Amino acid sequence: MAEEIPETMRAMQLAAPAPVAEAPLRLVDVPVPKPGSGEVLLKVRACGVCRTDLHILEGELPPHRSPVVPGHQIVGEVAALGPGAGLVAPGGEAGAAPLATGDIVGVPWLHHTDETCRFCRSGRENLCEHAAFTGWDVDGGFAEYTVAPAGWVYRLPAGMDDLAAAPLLCAGIIGYRCLRLTGVVGDGAGLPSAAGPAPTAAGESAPAAAPPATAPKRLAIYGFGSAASLCTQVAIWRGWEVYGIARDEEHRSLARELGAVWAGEAADDPGVLYDDAIVFAPAGELAVDALRHLDKGGIVALGGIYSSPIPSIEYPWIYGERVVRSVANSTRQDARELLRDAALVPVVSRVQEYPLELANEALLDLKEDRVRGSAVLRVG
Ligand SMILES: [Zn+2]
Ligand SMILES: [Zn+2]
């Protein structure tokens, strides 16, 4: 029998942006939200903590709604269905079975879009003019319950631990989109598991298909936090060599542990040119640093929603058809394919766990580089 849904819930709410050291999130009791048409009510089990939450707390991303409950890497159990939600295919996946109470689903950063603008109609819903973002435009997962549209939540791989799944829902998905825009995954990249034996363990596996005739391609990853630690595992599984760049040794050692062939600081010389690079750290000068170590024809993808300015670029550093591009949000396809690959690799999340009421502390640890892997709130 379904659990009774209480009238009120605990939530960590942001009334106004402030430095995270001042603990701007307040523990409040608020009414449990009611699922509207096409929405599901989720009992939150875990919610990942992301650098974007930090930008919302500290005001680098201006408030879209006040007060707001942040948190956009939500693992929740369907507690109730709003009108019509039982007719909707979750994750926008044609033919997927509709949700029922008790299902475990994930909610990512992209809460929903208008589905009608020129971007949505051309498969670029991540660029939607009227997108709503979880924990910024609508209340998110730093709470015991939340609501989300049934068509924009995703069934999680069977048997995946709640805390391990949470970081996949932003760090994993955004990392995956970065991999798509650098050609590591997506059209033409192939699925290594399709023909050969399954990989043995994350970070140790060669691609299971026939060994490539050419040398592995080199991917540099700048900023070795949650997204980097997850997409490194996918890139290595796809047969790429990963070079990890981080400013402190804890994060460089994590890169090596996950299978990076080299780890260093931005000022160090890796002794090679990268085929492509992904910059997760919100420091514009790293885009230039990546360009200076990039082979001709390579792509530097900037994975942050916020960055300090990019310094001027000498023309020879970008000549040779080098590309610098940002990565904005994600599509439902990115989410579905990341969750598929994460189960196949399988991707291992290194999680630092906090209770809901210590969300401020988790975000301060993230800001001060004290999180190794991914910070996650255990909620229910
Ligand atoms: Zn749109
Ligand atoms: Zn995020």
Side-chain angles (χ1 to χ4, degrees):
M1 205 174 100
E3 226 176 287
E4 203 176 314
I5 298 162
E7 290 290 313
T8 62
M9 65 175 187
R10 294 184 311 143
M12 291 298 281
Q13 198 179 59
L14 179 71
V20 65
E22 294 173 17
L25 293 172
R26 292 290 147 82
L27 185 64
V28 292
D29 270 304
V30 291
V32 170
K34 302 258 184 294
S37 177
E39 291 183 334
V40 286
L41 174 68
L42 302 176
K43 186 173 194 295
V44 178
R45 294 160 69 124
C47 187
V49 175
C50 172
R51 190 161 285 276
T52 300
D53 299 315
L54 197 54
H55 296 318
I56 289 171
L57 250 70
E58 299 203 313
E60 283 128 348
L61 297 181
H64 277 190
R65 167 197 172 100
S66 287
V68 69
V69 176
H72 57 269
Q73 307 188 86
I74 305 167
V75 175
E77 176 181 345
V78 177
L81 284 81
L87 303 171
V88 176
E93 186 175 14
L99 295 172
T101 55
D103 286 352
I104 306 297
V105 297
V107 182
W109 171 239
L110 185 60
H111 192 264
H112 65 271
T113 73
D114 60 14
E115 303 188 44
T116 56
C117 76
R118 67 190 186 283
F119 296 109
C120 288
R121 282 186 281 112
S122 58
R124 296 176 293 165
E125 62 196 359
N126 59 307
L127 303 178
C128 177
E129 301 273 30
H130 304 103
F133 298 102
T134 312
W136 193 23
D137 298 291
V138 296
D139 283 337
F142 292 179
E144 291 174 316
Y145 287 86
T146 194
V147 291
W152 294 83
V153 304
Y154 306 85
R155 277 205 178 83
L156 297 176
M160 188 173 275
D161 175 74
D162 298 335
L163 292 180
L168 296 175
L169 291 158
C170 177
I173 292 170
I174 297 295
Y176 199 82
R177 183 154 192 89
C178 294
L179 294 176
R180 184 188 302 286
L181 296 188
T182 48
V184 179
V185 302
D187 293 345
L191 246 190
S193 66
T200 49
E204 302 169 1
S205 51
T214 52
K217 292 177 119 185
R218 301 183 183 110
L219 177 70
I221 300 182
Y222 287 75
F224 226 86
S226 184
S229 68
L230 299 170
C231 79
T232 288
Q233 299 174 54
V234 177
I236 291 171
W237 179 63
R238 297 272 184 168
W240 284 60
E241 280 183 356
V242 170
Y243 292 70
I245 297 98
R247 61 186 173 185
D248 66 288
E249 177 51 30
E250 266 298 286
H251 292 87
R252 292 193 293 272
S253 77
L254 176 60
R256 287 185 209 101
E257 253 172 57
L258 291 170
V261 294
W262 181 90
E265 292 183 70
D268 295 341
D269 180 6
V272 296
L273 291 175
Y274 306 130
D275 291 286
D276 292 300
I278 300 172
V279 178
F280 288 117
E285 66 271 17
L286 294 177
V288 178
D289 189 83
L291 265 181
R292 296 177 68 178
H293 294 103
L294 192 71
D295 206 353
K296 285 187 282 191
I299 296 169
V300 178
L302 308 178
I305 192 169
Y306 168 86
S307 171
S308 59
I310 299 172
S312 65
I313 294 170
E314 299 286 333
Y315 192 62
W317 300 342
I318 199 163
Y319 185 70
E321 302 192 346
R322 294 173 178 90
V323 173
V324 178
R325 68 183 301 179
S326 68
V327 175
N329 315 314
S330 60
T331 64
R332 283 182 284 187
Q333 183 191 6
D334 294 324
R336 293 194 301 264
E337 293 183 5
L338 173 271
L339 291 169
R340 175 200 66 194
D341 278 17
L344 287 172
V345 172
V347 169
V348 177
S349 303
R350 315 273 167 132
V351 167
Q352 213 159 293
E353 178 184 338
Y354 300 80
L356 173 63
E357 57 274 19
L358 292 188
N360 286 303
E361 286 76 0
L363 282 152
L364 185 60
D365 285 350
L366 185 64
K367 182 175 184 179
E368 298 186 345
D369 279 343
R370 289 193 296 265
V371 175
R372 199 164 187 272
S374 312
V376 179
L377 307 181
R378 185 191 286 280
V379 181

